Amino acid sequence: MSHPPIVLADASAAYRGRTVLAGIDLTIRPGERVALLGRSGAGKSTLIGLLHAQAAGDIALVPQAAALVRPLSVFHNVYMGRLDRRSTLHNLRTLIRPARADVEAVRGVLASVDLAEQLWARAGELSGGQQQRVSLARALHNGRPILLGDEPVSALDRRQGAAVLARMAERHETLILALHDVSLALDVADRIVVLDAGRIVLDAASGGLDAAALARFYEPLP
């Protein structure tokens, strides 16, 4: 399923009276792989929020924190990715006695992030990296065309992160990812958008960039 472009035109955002983003002009078209880069505090998470507000019905969101229901099983946390596409009665039944088809669908998604063996474990008992993979599996199970992630692989090592992002690219038409790993961003994205002090200071194809070219955006502020 395709989706319309996401368009921000001269967008801004403020928090407690302080401007966080200003003059944001950004269009993201179907099929793009976009990495959002910049120092901590540059406004990436706020931009993620603006993009989500523009196209929530087409987006599977991976927030910066895993946002799991810790007492529930891994199965139930991943199943929640499709709660709005099932009837209330079906969802209530699933809480007590999941249907075999739902269990196998979730098991398959968990296998794609190497967590199938944790299907019935309590989410709160997993390690930080495992919890992040559950959050990613929930977004994959969601199945909407746009995957919007705020540091979605920050708790994984580079090999695991690259593998998970590759699976995201297979399952979602469009990726928009705030990442802290510049090399990983260059590998997974075809477009790099850099924020600095609440403004877009670079928007370019990743093919013409390298880590050295982006290093200046991470130099300590004077």
Side-chain angles (χ1 to χ4, degrees), residues 55-67:
D58 290 323
I59 285 174
L61 177 66
V62 183
Q64 194 168 84

Side-chain angles (χ1 to χ4, degrees), residues 161-218:
V164 169
L165 291 180
R167 292 181 185 111
M168 288 179 172
E170 292 170 357
R171 286 177 175 259
H172 297 273
E173 180 181 7
T174 304
L175 299 183
I176 311 166
L177 308 169
L179 297 170
H180 70 279
D181 186 323
V182 172
S183 296
L184 188 58
L186 290 169
D187 286 345
V188 72
D190 52 40
R191 180 180 173 191
I192 302 293
V193 175
V194 180
L195 289 170
D196 189 30
R199 294 184 178 274
I200 293 176
V201 293
L202 178 71
D203 186 348
S206 60
L209 300 170
D210 58 24
L214 296 169
R216 64 189 178 94
F217 297 110
Y218 291 88

Side-chain angles (χ1 to χ4, degrees), residues 125-162:
E125 296 174 354
L126 303 182
S127 69
Q130 288 175 322
Q131 288 187 27
Q132 189 168 62
R133 280 187 279 158
V134 174
S135 183
L136 292 163
R138 181 171 56 199
L140 291 170
H141 188 54
N142 179 293
R144 287 186 168 89
I146 305 168
L147 192 289
L148 183 61
D150 192 354
E151 302 289 0
V153 294
S154 59
L156 309 182
D157 63 38
R158 197 172 189 284
R159 181 190 62 79
Q160 286 180 321

Side-chain angles (χ1 to χ4, degrees), residues 16-221:
R16 293 184 177 179
R18 181 178 69 88
T19 299
V20 180
L21 294 175
I24 300 296
D25 293 312
L26 182 64
T27 298
I28 296 175
R29 297 171 182 82
E32 288 193 295
R33 306 284 189 255
V34 181
L36 306 177
L37 302 180
R39 298 181 185 89
S40 177
K44 298 188 298 296
S45 293
T46 304
L47 180 55
I48 290 280
L50 290 182
L51 293 169
H52 186 258
Q54 290 293 309
D58 290 323
I59 285 174
L61 177 66
V62 183
Q64 194 168 84
L68 304 180
V69 182
R70 296 170 62 85
L72 291 183
S73 71
V74 168
F75 164 80
H76 286 100
N77 274 276
V78 174
Y79 174 82
M80 287 177 189
R82 293 197 170 200
L83 274 180
D84 62 340
R85 276 165 276 178
R86 296 288 197 172
S87 69
T88 301
L89 180 59
H90 184 92
N91 290 335
L92 288 173
R93 285 175 176 167
T94 300
L95 190 62
I96 300 167
R97 189 186 296 274
R100 180 176 298 178
D102 290 327
V103 171
E104 292 310 310
V106 170
R107 193 193 307 274
V109 174
L110 285 169
S112 74
V113 295
D114 299 324
L115 273 183
E117 73 282 1
Q118 300 291 348
L119 180 69
W120 299 113
R122 289 182 184 272
E125 296 174 354
L126 303 182
S127 69
Q130 288 175 322
Q131 288 187 27
Q132 189 168 62
R133 280 187 279 158
V134 174
S135 183
L136 292 163
R138 181 171 56 199
L140 291 170
H141 188 54
N142 179 293
R144 287 186 168 89
I146 305 168
L147 192 289
L148 183 61
D150 192 354
E151 302 289 0
V153 294
S154 59
L156 309 182
D157 63 38
R158 197 172 189 284
R159 181 190 62 79
Q160 286 180 321
V164 169
L165 291 180
R167 292 181 185 111
M168 288 179 172
E170 292 170 357
R171 286 177 175 259
H172 297 273
E173 180 181 7
T174 304
L175 299 183
I176 311 166
L177 308 169
L179 297 170
H180 70 279
D181 186 323
V182 172
S183 296
L184 188 58
L186 290 169
D187 286 345
V188 72
D190 52 40
R191 180 180 173 191
I192 302 293
V193 175
V194 180
L195 289 170
D196 189 30
R199 294 184 178 274
I200 293 176
V201 293
L202 178 71
D203 186 348
S206 60
L209 300 170
D210 58 24
L214 296 169
R216 64 189 178 94
F217 297 110
Y218 291 88
E219 293 172 355
L221 294 171

